[in-house]
Amino acid sequence: MSGGSPFGAVLRGLRRRGGLTMEELAEASGVSVRAIGDMERGRSRVPQRRTVVALADGLGLADAEREALIAAARAARTTRAVASGSTVPQRSVRDFTGRGPELAFLRKTAERARTGAGASAAVVSGPPGCGKTTLALKAAADLVGEFPDGCFVVDLHGVAGPVDPGEALLKLLRALGVPDRRLGREDAAGHAGLLRSLLAERRCLVVLDNARDEGQVRPLLPADGESLVLVTSRRPLSGLEDVDRLALSEMAQSEAVELLRRILGAERADAEVESVARVAQLCGRLPLALRVAGNWLTARSGWSVGRLARRLADEERRLGALAVGDVRVEAAFELSYRQLTPQAARLLRLLSLVPAPDMTASYGAALGETGVFEAEDVMEELIEAGLLQVAYNGRYKLHDLLRLFGRARLLREETSAEREAAEDRLRGWLLDTATIAGRWFKPGYGEPPSSWRGPLRSAEEAEAWLRDEAPAWLAALRGAAQRGEHTRVVRTADAMEWFCDLWIFWGHWPEVYRLSSEAAAALDDPKLRALHLNLYAWALTVCERRHREALELAGEALECARGAQDVAQQAAALMHVASAHRYLGEAHASAEKCLASIEVAEAAGAYEVWLNAMMSHAAALRLLGRAEEALTTDTRIIAFLDAPDCPVRGHVADVVRAHVTHALGRDHAALGRWREAAGHYRDALARSERIGLTYRTGQALVYLGPALIELGETEEARCRLRQVLDLGEDAVDPEAVTTARELLDSLPAE
């Protein structure tokens, strides 16, 4: 540019026409003499708009001349960005969709880099096909005007024949206008120093696409200055210091649908809205897969979107179907897979067996037959390779398509015996751990034996494990039932007997106890059948309000218990029959069966059943309008629990006390004693919250509301009823949520 830039020529012409020397223009504009001279001779970058405006003011330009000077500066910036050897992105981003927060993050990074307030580089990492390159190029296209000294893109080919850092250095230096004769005088270290110097004194935007590792990128990063380097990589490049980081994953469902809509065209996509959404889900919302699917349909205009959705629904064919021309989703995964160590490749294959959306390192340990720390190390390698993602709080996530990829490799590279052994290890670990966790809450068990080496160290951890790993251990239970592992099924389901109260509205207890009842029948053990039919009856009554079916199951349980001469299960069956009658509004039948259950349980010393039968009898008495008798019965239960020699202790005693305290509130409410009722409801609420009995927490709140309204304490009632809504329908009885809403609507406006 030694001949001067168009902007420099325009500036020089305007200055001379105004009869100003450089010194005079400098004094009038506040821009230094040296800067004006460099601009006129084309030796510096084109100034920012504020500098051009200052020069225009110093020259005293009229509006038309002022706009002409600004336009010349703008044109010079664009020309320089292209003409200075820039490798400007050629990939179209016209149908770029979504990623608003990610683009905003990169814009802020660029702003901080320009002002020297932040890092001069950002790493965009993520699994194969998640759109890292497209995002970086879109950001570059949006930001190019902010970097007047050029935008450069270098493909480092990180997963297929990575470019040597020295070669990448030479490409960038040539693009920045460094002559070959000068490059020949420097070694690799000199080239790196020269690049840092040039990027420090200029304002450039550099995209280093598809980086393999830190060593490939480090020589290409600026030390300081106002330039910005965007790096894309399947790896997070954790070894790089002083860089901003953006972890990219699949698109949101709405973004995935919109991308397909743009590729297919609005008319075609809007004609099959549900099928488009289904294809987006089956593609795992992965941008590469979405583009392949969209292009595949575009090339086959006679195909409906629904036809492709049906084709992709077959898991065994899905990856193979996500191919168009020379672009295959599976090939993108394969490139990273080939770079793994044998241990990591094997673990990726095995992790495809995990029947849950996310997992902990303990899954890897169970599958790989290693310790947890060893599994963590191997899983970290998978994260570095972009094949496993960190989900949250120490959990890992395997993308749906990568899961299918791993499963295909498992079938190809492992024998059937090896696959079955891995499945057995995972299923055994899940169900053994679920059994130990459930027994924390079951009388006669409590904390695990000293020989247990699992992750559970407290009842709180046991409950958290059962909830967090529920998708996996439930799938394992189903698998055990399908394989005829009947003893394992009944043992696991039995362990959940008293944990159920803490998570009544999980939604799967009827299935758990249906499976265990079928397993007990297959074992031809009438005692086990009685137990699990009783538990099944409980689940149908309390969880799903299927009272007639529960009545039949409890009757069948009673017959099995009599055949096995199991008095405790006879009492339990009578109690479940009574509960079903009560829920059906058949109070007299309920009271009669309760008394029978109480008599049998007391004779057998089955105190947990006796307590439940007593509570059920009190509820039946209240339903019959005999509230004073109900109060006497519930008071008797409290006295039993308070006795120094009470045989029921621990979690079971805490649960029963919370239930009975609530029942006392209902007894007093039925007698019109609202102050006493409110006191018991508050007590039940505190007890339920302390032990995590969410179901009873919701009930206490929804009954406390009317008591407070009767006492004229409307504002507290409003607050308590809103707490029910905050708990949500997954945690409390949906009927309680409906009642809370109706009561809130009936209250006067605030």
Side-chain angles (χ1 to χ4, degrees), residues 264-331:
L264 296 175
E267 183 177 353
R268 187 177 181 187
D270 293 347
E272 296 185 76
V273 173
E274 291 184 5
S275 293
V276 169
R278 180 62 176 151
V279 168
Q281 291 173 337
L282 291 170
C283 288
R285 307 192 306 278
L286 199 68
L288 175 62
L290 293 165
R291 288 191 178 277
V292 167
N295 292 343
W296 200 91
L297 284 168
T298 300
R300 294 163 178 79
S301 57
W303 274 53
S304 68
V305 182
R307 185 176 177 183
L308 176 60
R310 289 189 293 274
R311 180 170 178 166
L312 294 178
D314 184 347
E315 288 192 350
E316 293 184 2
R317 299 178 57 195
R318 189 178 305 166
L319 278 178
L322 287 172
V324 60
D326 62 348
V327 181
R328 295 188 305 119
V329 172
E330 189 172 13

Side-chain angles (χ1 to χ4, degrees), residues 698-715:
Q699 289 287 327
L701 287 167
V702 86
Y703 278 92
L704 177 57
L708 292 170
I709 292 170
E710 291 288 343
L711 293 169
E713 300 173 16
T714 306
E715 288 312 305

Side-chain angles (χ1 to χ4, degrees), residues 419-588:
R419 294 195 301 271
E420 289 177 10
E423 290 175 344
D424 288 345
R425 288 195 300 273
L426 180 61
R427 188 170 60 257
W429 172 75
L430 284 167
L431 295 183
D432 287 348
T433 308
T435 299
I436 290 291
R439 285 176 175 173
W440 271 96
F441 309 95
K442 190 173 175 66
Y445 290 97
E447 63 183 87
S450 57
S451 59
W452 173 253
R453 293 291 179 265
L456 311 176
R457 294 180 297 274
S458 67
E460 290 74 21
E461 287 188 9
E463 180 181 354
W465 191 95
L466 287 169
R467 289 174 180 265
D468 293 343
E469 314 308 332
W473 70 255
L474 177 60
L477 190 73
R478 292 168 179 157
Q482 290 171 358
R483 289 167 175 78
E485 297 171 356
H486 306 308
T487 300
R488 178 174 276 173
V489 171
V490 296
R491 184 176 64 241
T492 305
D494 174 76
M496 303 297 160
E497 181 179 6
W498 283 92
F499 169 71
C500 297
D501 276 321
L502 300 178
W503 201 17
I504 283 179
F505 297 105
W506 173 37
H508 295 285
W509 295 122
E511 180 186 2
V512 167
Y513 289 116
R514 174 182 60 79
L515 292 175
S516 66
S517 297
E518 292 170 354
L523 290 170
D524 196 22
D525 186 327
K527 186 171 183 176
L528 281 177
R529 284 196 68 201
L531 168 64
H532 289 277
L533 285 169
N534 273 326
L535 292 170
Y536 192 10
W538 168 86
L540 291 183
T541 294
V542 175
C543 303
E544 294 192 350
R545 303 293 190 257
R546 293 159 58 184
H547 307 307
R548 287 295 176 197
E549 294 174 65
L551 199 60
E552 293 178 9
L553 286 171
E556 187 178 349
L558 181 59
E559 292 304 313
C560 289
R562 284 172 175 164
Q565 297 183 343
D566 187 333
V567 182
Q569 289 305 316
Q570 291 177 42
L574 289 166
M575 186 265 296
H576 289 305
V577 168
S579 294
H581 278 306
R582 187 177 77 256
Y583 282 115
L584 289 167
E586 300 165 358
H588 286 288

Side-chain angles (χ1 to χ4, degrees), residues 386-405:
L387 297 175
L388 190 66
Q389 297 169 269
V390 177
Y392 62 93
N393 195 26
R395 301 188 72 83
Y396 304 89
K397 179 182 177 184
L398 189 63
H399 188 275
D400 289 346
L401 295 182
L402 278 167
R403 186 187 304 276
L404 295 181
F405 175 85

Side-chain angles (χ1 to χ4, degrees), residues 252-267:
Q253 175 68 7
S254 59
E255 294 177 340
V257 167
E258 181 59 24
L259 177 57
L260 282 174
R261 190 171 181 271
R262 291 188 178 188
I263 296 172
L264 296 175
E267 183 177 353

Side-chain angles (χ1 to χ4, degrees), residues 84-85 152 167 169-180 183:
S84 61
F152 310 90
E167 182 183 342
L169 273 170
L170 290 174
K171 284 184 178 181
L172 278 173
L173 290 170
R174 289 191 180 105
L176 287 164
V178 178
D180 284 343
L183 293 175

